[in-house]
Amino acid sequence: MGKKKKESVIESSIKRKYKLQAKDVKVWYGDFMAIKGISMDIKPNKVTAFIGPSGCGKSTFLRLFNRMNDYVDGFKMDGTINIDDKDINDKDINVELLRKQVGMVFQKPNPFPKSIFENVAYGLKIQGLKDKTFLEERVESSLKQVALWEEVKDDLNKNALALSGGQQQRLCIARTLAVEPSIILMDEPTSALDPISTAKIEELIYQLKDKYTIVIVTHNMQQASRISDNTAFFYLGDLIEYDKTNKIFTNPEKKQTENYITGRFG
Amino acid sequence: MRKIKELVIERGLLFSALITIAVTVGIILVLSIEAFSFFSEVSIIDFLTDPEWTPLFTNKHFGILSLLSGTLLTSFIAIAFAVPVGLSISIYLSEYAPKSFRRTIKPLLELLAAVPTVVYGFFALMVVTPFLQTFIPGLSSFNSLSAGLVMGIMIIPYISSLSEDALHAVPNSLREAAYGMGSTRLQNSFKVMVPAASSGIIVSIILAISRAIGETMIVAIAAGQQPRLTFDPTVPVETITAYIVQVSLGDVQHDSLEYKTIFAAGITLFVFTFLLNTISYRIRKKFQEKYE
């Protein structure tokens, strides 16, 4: 029995060599073409960093994976995005369920104006889970994963807005982890934080990749080189280069990539 | 020369500000003095406990409760109608409707508040009451139900517009957080947006209550002029404001006790609206602190 289970795990990981796949994706906002045909595969349990100058389309591209662009006026998309080999823009896809599987952490910490407990329990509660002990356990384990438990365990009923910026961002990550997604998208999660809080979040991201597939947009190139396994360089709506982080930062293939990472533009 | 010009402008502005303050103080003073002289003749306990209000009859009774019940009843009906409708409109406009639709419909809704109240009053009397009578047989021609409902229509924009402003002012990052967690539009609206905008929404409701309590024309026309301590919405009642109109327009002699009743009624009304405005001011101040 045990052996069989192990085999099936190996089998499925071979089958799913890629967690996320984009095939010839184009995006328009009205008449403006924000993404000009990008194909890429993202591996499971790795940290993949998107870098590039402002307006290069990396955030737009990231938001395709949980369909957060759906509410943007004038948004139009072409091509396919697959998660675990399933087209997430299919008509029978439930967007709410998709977003439970694909969590997101935003640029500015955005906790709800509710208590710390309510923030972390929110995702479970909207799924209709009410069991108090279960909620308490899940809140505790989520807060422990982001190393916030020790700091807040005595005042879980305090308003989340009273926490510091770094704590708020870790709370937002805990809130995302509580619903047990398999993918976490991070849109410049440390750009509004001080260096110490940033270091804590980076360490956290590094630990989280054992259990989650993480895609992170960052403007900070040191950050990309510190925490990511693979790096994609975007420029003007195109994917210029995508490779192992080490390779991108030491020996990039393209001149544009080299110019960007050495700070010659962007 | 320029200095003098500046000085004149500054003094002019100060003078305008002082006029409004002077008017307010003047109104409060007149109300208080006249009410004081009223209460030197009528005991304040009778005023607050007597169930009848018949100052114009030979057998005089001065119980404000029967006027107050008319005011509270019509206001309650108006609020009970306007809050669910106004709130639904505001949530729809802020969280569901396309931006272009919102831009067109919001000013149109605000027009509801610009219709002269005398038009509403006759609408209640000539249209709504006969309509309601077709399925509420015992409904009198003058009643608080139809006056309250029409007053509710009038105050819908107070609630929908101000609540929509409050919902719209909630940072978009919270909307993203809610959707990012897998909320439906309904969950986003009621579990995140409405709680986050709650103080603004409460302020809008309090202002609407304040408006309903002070409303005169609709209730004077459609609710009748019979002071009655009742909470039955189908019978004629009289509100404080309608009574003041009735006496002011009648041939009651100035400086008589009957005439002074309108100041006693007026100060009761003033206390209510003043309290409501103070509460809403407090809430608004607290709300501002939260987002700074």
Side-chain angles (χ1 to χ4, degrees):
Chain A
M1 187 66 195
K3 203 183 163 195
K4 208 175 172 187
K5 204 178 173 187
K6 207 174 175 186
E7 270 170 13
S8 74
V9 168
I10 292 167
E11 209 178 73
S12 74
S13 73
I14 292 168
K15 219 163 120 189
R16 292 209 186 117
K17 212 173 153 196
Y18 301 114
K19 186 78 186 168
L20 302 165
Q21 276 181 306
K23 285 182 199 154
D24 197 25
V25 169
K26 297 182 180 107
V27 169
W28 292 265
Y29 290 124
D31 294 330
F32 173 70
M33 194 172 187
I35 291 182
K36 300 168 181 166
I38 292 181
S39 299
M40 80 184 290
D41 303 316
I42 291 171
K43 288 189 177 128
N45 297 88
K46 298 279 182 210
V47 177
T48 304
F50 290 178
I51 60 169
S54 302
C56 67
K58 56 193 191 304
S59 274
T60 300
F61 192 66
L62 184 78
R63 283 160 179 255
L64 291 174
F65 294 115
N66 66 345
R67 291 186 46 185
M68 280 300 274
N69 291 322
D70 286 15
Y71 301 114
V72 178
D73 274 353
F75 167 78
K76 213 175 78 197
M77 183 199 145
D78 195 34
T80 49
I81 302 271
N82 290 343
I83 292 180
D84 293 334
D85 297 324
K86 249 191 119 157
D87 184 351
I88 61 164
N89 290 300
D90 242 19
K91 273 199 182 119
D92 62 341
I93 289 284
N94 178 332
V95 187
E96 284 81 38
L97 279 179
L98 169 77
R99 293 193 185 128
K100 277 161 197 162
Q101 200 203 336
V102 187
M104 189 161 207
V105 177
F106 297 85
Q107 191 167 359
K108 265 198 198 146
N110 55 358
F112 299 123
K114 298 171 189 275
S115 72
I116 293 170
F117 184 91
E118 287 298 324
N119 262 280
V120 183
Y122 177 83
L124 300 165
K125 282 194 169 173
I126 60 170
Q127 291 180 40
L129 296 164
K130 289 194 183 97
D131 185 68
K132 212 173 162 227
T133 20
F134 172 77
L135 290 177
E136 279 168 0
E137 277 170 21
R138 193 61 81 75
V139 167
E140 183 178 338
S141 69
S142 307
L143 287 170
K144 275 180 175 161
Q145 279 192 77
V146 300
L148 197 59
W149 177 250
E150 288 302 320
E151 292 162 55
V152 301
K153 67 178 175 190
D154 294 324
D155 30 30
L156 290 175
N157 290 320
K158 204 166 79 173
N159 193 311
L161 295 173
L163 296 172
S164 75
Q167 288 176 321
Q168 286 187 13
Q169 193 63 308
R170 277 185 284 152
L171 179 71
C172 291
I173 297 176
R175 178 175 70 183
T176 307
L177 298 181
V179 292
E180 301 196 318
S182 59
I183 300 164
I184 302 174
L185 309 174
M186 298 186 167
D187 192 357
E188 297 185 49
T190 60
S191 65
L193 303 182
D194 62 87
I196 293 169
S197 305
T198 301
K200 280 186 183 164
I201 304 261
E202 286 184 9
E203 200 187 311
L204 176 62
I205 293 170
Y206 199 79
Q207 287 163 5
L208 289 176
K209 73 171 177 180
D210 287 342
K211 284 169 81 178
Y212 308 93
T213 303
I214 297 173
V215 187
I216 178 170
V217 165
T218 177
H219 265 121
N220 180 335
M221 260 157 319
Q222 282 81 24
Q223 182 169 71
S225 67
R226 276 194 299 264
I227 61 172
S228 69
D229 302 290
N230 298 310
T231 297
F233 172 61
F234 290 76
Y235 186 59
L236 297 177
D238 274 319
L239 177 61
I240 306 296
E241 193 168 350
Y242 175 39
D243 212 325
K244 291 233 155 38
T245 299
N246 215 351
K247 176 103 180 359
I248 294 269
F249 282 95
T250 53
N251 187 21
E253 299 274 331
K254 304 264 170 64
K255 191 75 191 155
Q256 272 170 316
T257 316
E258 193 184 332
N259 285 346
Y260 182 69
I261 59 165
T262 53
R264 252 168 255 166
F265 81 99
Chain B
M1 191 57 209
R2 207 167 144 199
K3 245 187 171 168
I4 295 170
K5 203 174 147 196
E6 283 292 320
L7 193 74
V8 169
I9 291 171
E10 194 195 312
R11 288 290 144 87
L13 293 174
L14 180 69
F15 184 67
S16 323
L18 286 180
I19 284 180
T20 57
I21 295 173
V23 169
T24 314
V25 171
I27 289 173
I28 296 173
L29 263 177
V30 171
L31 267 180
S32 309
I33 292 167
E34 297 284 344
F36 185 78
S37 92
F38 171 81
F39 286 120
S40 62
E41 290 178 58
V42 176
S43 118
I44 195 153
I45 295 163
D46 282 350
F47 182 72
L48 293 177
T49 55
D50 195 322
E52 275 182 77
W53 178 265
T54 52
L56 308 179
F57 295 180
T58 11
N59 178 18
K60 292 187 191 328
H61 282 280
F62 299 97
I64 192 73
L65 282 181
S66 45
L67 288 183
L68 198 58
S69 74
T71 292
L72 293 182
L73 181 60
T74 48
S75 301
F76 176 79
I77 293 168
I79 290 296
F81 178 67
V83 166
V85 177
L87 212 53
S88 311
I89 293 173
S90 69
I91 290 171
Y92 175 75
L93 287 182
S94 156
E95 304 303 321
Y96 288 80
K99 272 187 196 131
S100 52
F101 182 74
R102 173 179 170 266
R103 271 197 299 268
T104 347
I105 212 75
K106 215 179 155 194
L108 284 179
L109 262 174
E110 280 163 14
L111 272 184
L112 276 181
V115 175
T117 52
V118 64
V119 176
Y120 277 121
F122 276 99
F123 177 66
L125 185 65
M126 315 300 279
V127 180
V128 178
T129 299
F131 173 71
L132 289 175
Q133 274 167 337
T134 56
F135 44 96
I136 309 174
L139 194 69
S140 347
S141 319
F142 296 101
N143 61 79
S144 46
L145 182 62
S146 108
L149 285 178
V150 171
M151 198 151 78
I153 295 174
M154 181 194 73
I155 60 176
I156 281 173
Y158 287 79
I159 294 175
S160 67
S161 196
L162 290 174
S163 298
E164 205 273 341
D165 288 344
L167 287 167
H168 204 71
V170 175
N172 207 31
S173 61
L174 280 187
R175 227 163 257 129
E176 288 194 318
Y179 286 129
M181 295 295 297
S183 313
T184 60
R185 274 182 195 263
L186 197 69
Q187 286 167 334
N188 167 56
S189 304
F190 284 97
K191 298 209 155 140
V192 179
M193 291 302 129
V194 170
S198 57
S199 23
I201 291 171
I202 291 169
V203 166
S204 81
I205 293 171
I206 292 174
L207 288 180
I209 296 175
S210 185
R211 181 73 186 79
I213 286 179
E215 169 51 31
T216 310
M217 222 51 209
I218 297 174
V219 284
I221 294 171
Q225 298 193 333
Q226 298 176 24
R228 193 192 302 253
L229 181 53
T230 178
F231 286 102
D232 177 359
T234 61
V235 295
V237 294
E238 182 162 46
T239 65
I240 298 177
T241 50
Y243 172 76
I244 294 173
V245 172
Q246 184 194 355
V247 174
S248 317
L249 298 179
D251 46 9
V252 173
Q253 200 189 337
H254 282 216
D255 286 333
S256 63
L257 182 61
E258 290 86 340
Y259 185 72
K260 280 174 192 155
T261 56
I262 68 175
F263 294 98
I267 205 157
T268 314
L269 197 62
F270 176 75
V271 167
F272 266 86
T273 45
F274 179 75
L275 276 180
L276 287 169
N277 284 346
T278 310
I279 294 168
S280 82
Y281 175 75
R282 286 276 163 83
I283 295 174
R284 214 172 340 175
K285 233 173 110 187
K286 216 175 136 196
F287 171 71
Q288 280 167 346
E289 279 163 6
K290 210 168 90 184
Y291 276 101
E292 261 161 21

